[in-house]
């Protein structure tokens, strides 16, 4: 039987690569993206499976209803790849309210709207939900504060959702890619730091921009990993992809555990007394 996938951000990057793989496996892909021309290219290139093109800004007020209608018209849903999002880098202090609101509108609130539109069908099919986070959903760099905060929200909402869905048989996997060569960098919003942040944010951004192409992983490996976990009977809750993601998250967890151990005595100290 043909499986049905809904993929947001299907016009480029990880979303496009996963869509191509799902189509090659004979799936029906509801491809969601803003660019009609890219959606048409995806549909025209499909030699197996078939595409329902859904040009949509997922932050639009009617996006949830449009997505729910598309799932209903498809007769159900087996896999959701909740992928759409963008990057925002700069000092926490300098990210104005409009930029902060916009990153959470896309990376968090629209992500939740996609879930609300698709979860009834995914529960019914005991389906798979793939939430695309980032290594920055587990820790932050100087400059990634607001982006990391948005991805941390995706992570924890996804973790709660996994617990909530457990009795239904639907499964959630949070994918945490490292730094890969995709079109993501072209869509990153960068706020140049003031002088006070030059030694931290400025240095990080300069060092990052100087990385050679060899420092960026092959995005095909992320798409392959997504296809693999979707096929598992018991997929992982979290999946870090890329050596930088694995090592960065491991080091962050070590640091947090060391800090927890170091300051554990504060938890047992009488209220108001220093240790």
């Amino acid at each position: 039987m043909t499986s049905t996938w809904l993929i947001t951000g299907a016009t480029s990057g990880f979303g496009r690569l996963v869509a191509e793989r799902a189509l090659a496996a004979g799936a029906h892909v509801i491809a969601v993206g803003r660019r009609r021309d890219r959606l048409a290219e995806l549909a025209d290139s499909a030699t197996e499976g078939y595409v329902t093109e859904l040009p949509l800004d997922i932050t639009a007020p009617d996006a949830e209803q449009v997505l729910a209608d598309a799932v209903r018209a498809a007769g159900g849903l087996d896999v959701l790849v909740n992928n759409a999002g963008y990057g925002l880098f700069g000092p926490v202090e300098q990210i104005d309210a409009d930029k902060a609101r916009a990153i959470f509108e896309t990376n968090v609130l629209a992500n939740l709207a996609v879930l609300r539109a698709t979860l009834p069908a995914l529960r019914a099919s005991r389906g798979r939900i793939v939430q695309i986070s980032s290594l920055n959903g587990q820790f932050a760099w100087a400059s990634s504060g607001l982006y990391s905060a948005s991805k941390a929200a995706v992570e924890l909402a996804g973790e709660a959702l996994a617990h909530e869905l457990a009795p239904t048989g639907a499964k959630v996997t949070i994918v945490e890619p490292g730094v890969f060569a995709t079109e993501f960098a072209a869509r990153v919003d960068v706020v140049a730091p003031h002088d006070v942040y030059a030694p931290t944010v400025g240095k990080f951004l300069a060092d990052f921009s100087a990385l050679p192409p060899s420092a960026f992983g092959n995005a095909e490996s992320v798409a392959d990993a997504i296809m693999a976990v979707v096929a598992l009977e018991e997929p992982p809750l979290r999946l870090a992809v890329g050596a930088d993601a694995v090592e960065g998250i491991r080091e962050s967890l070590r640091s947090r555990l060391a800090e927890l151990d170091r300051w554990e005595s504060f938890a047992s100290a009488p209220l108001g007394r220093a240790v």
Side-chain angles (χ1 to χ4, degrees):
M1 186 173 69
T2 300
S3 63
T4 299
W5 295 49
L6 189 148
I7 304 172
T8 65
T11 57
S12 63
F14 301 140
R16 176 64 178 258
L17 292 172
V18 173
E20 290 171 348
R21 282 159 172 74
L23 288 167
H28 169 207
V29 174
I30 303 171
V32 183
R34 297 188 185 197
R35 292 190 55 176
R36 292 177 181 271
D37 58 334
R38 292 282 187 91
L39 293 173
E41 287 173 8
L42 177 65
D44 291 343
S45 67
T47 57
E48 303 290 340
Y50 65 102
V51 176
T52 294
E53 300 170 41
L54 193 61
L56 179 68
D57 176 351
I58 60 169
T59 67
D62 65 342
E64 185 177 335
Q65 187 61 56
V66 171
L67 291 164
D69 289 345
V71 171
R72 192 175 301 109
L77 189 64
D78 300 291
V79 181
L80 166 66
V81 182
N82 210 354
N83 166 69
Y86 72 96
L88 172 64
F89 293 86
V92 169
E93 180 184 353
Q94 289 178 235
I95 305 296
D96 64 34
D98 288 341
K99 287 184 181 294
R101 192 173 293 110
I103 191 86
F104 277 85
E105 184 73 28
T106 297
N107 289 8
V108 181
L109 299 182
N111 182 287
L112 295 174
V114 174
L115 289 173
R116 288 193 298 269
T118 58
L119 280 172
L122 289 162
R123 287 197 310 272
S125 68
R126 300 169 62 88
R128 297 290 181 265
I129 299 110
V130 177
Q131 293 279 87
I132 303 298
S133 178
S134 164
L135 79 170
N136 287 130
Q138 286 286 323
F139 62 86
W141 297 319
S143 81
S144 76
L146 272 290
Y147 175 68
S148 291
S150 73
K151 288 302 186 180
V154 169
E155 291 248 353
L156 291 179
E159 182 174 333
L161 182 63
H163 294 312
E164 293 161 2
L165 288 174
T168 72
K171 306 289 186 181
V172 177
T173 295
I174 302 159
V175 176
E176 301 161 332
V179 179
F180 285 87
T182 70
E183 296 177 36
F184 176 83
R187 301 194 302 275
V188 168
D189 187 359
V190 178
V191 176
H194 296 327
D195 289 347
V196 68
Y197 292 115
T200 52
V201 176
K203 182 178 186 309
F204 177 86
L205 292 174
D207 290 347
F208 192 85
S209 65
L211 289 174
S214 59
F216 296 82
N218 185 345
E220 303 275 352
S221 64
V222 178
D224 289 341
I226 290 170
M227 297 301 294
V229 297
V230 163
L232 294 176
E233 184 66 26
E234 293 295 334
L237 173 60
R238 286 183 170 85
L239 181 70
V241 186
D244 56 340
V246 172
E247 290 308 311
I249 292 170
R250 180 177 285 128
E251 181 55 37
S252 174
L253 292 172
R254 284 177 181 146
S255 175
R256 291 166 68 178
L257 285 170
E259 188 172 48
L260 184 67
D261 292 341
R262 181 182 179 188
W263 298 106
E264 186 178 5
S265 59
F266 272 55
S268 57
L271 188 64
R273 282 180 52 190
V275 175

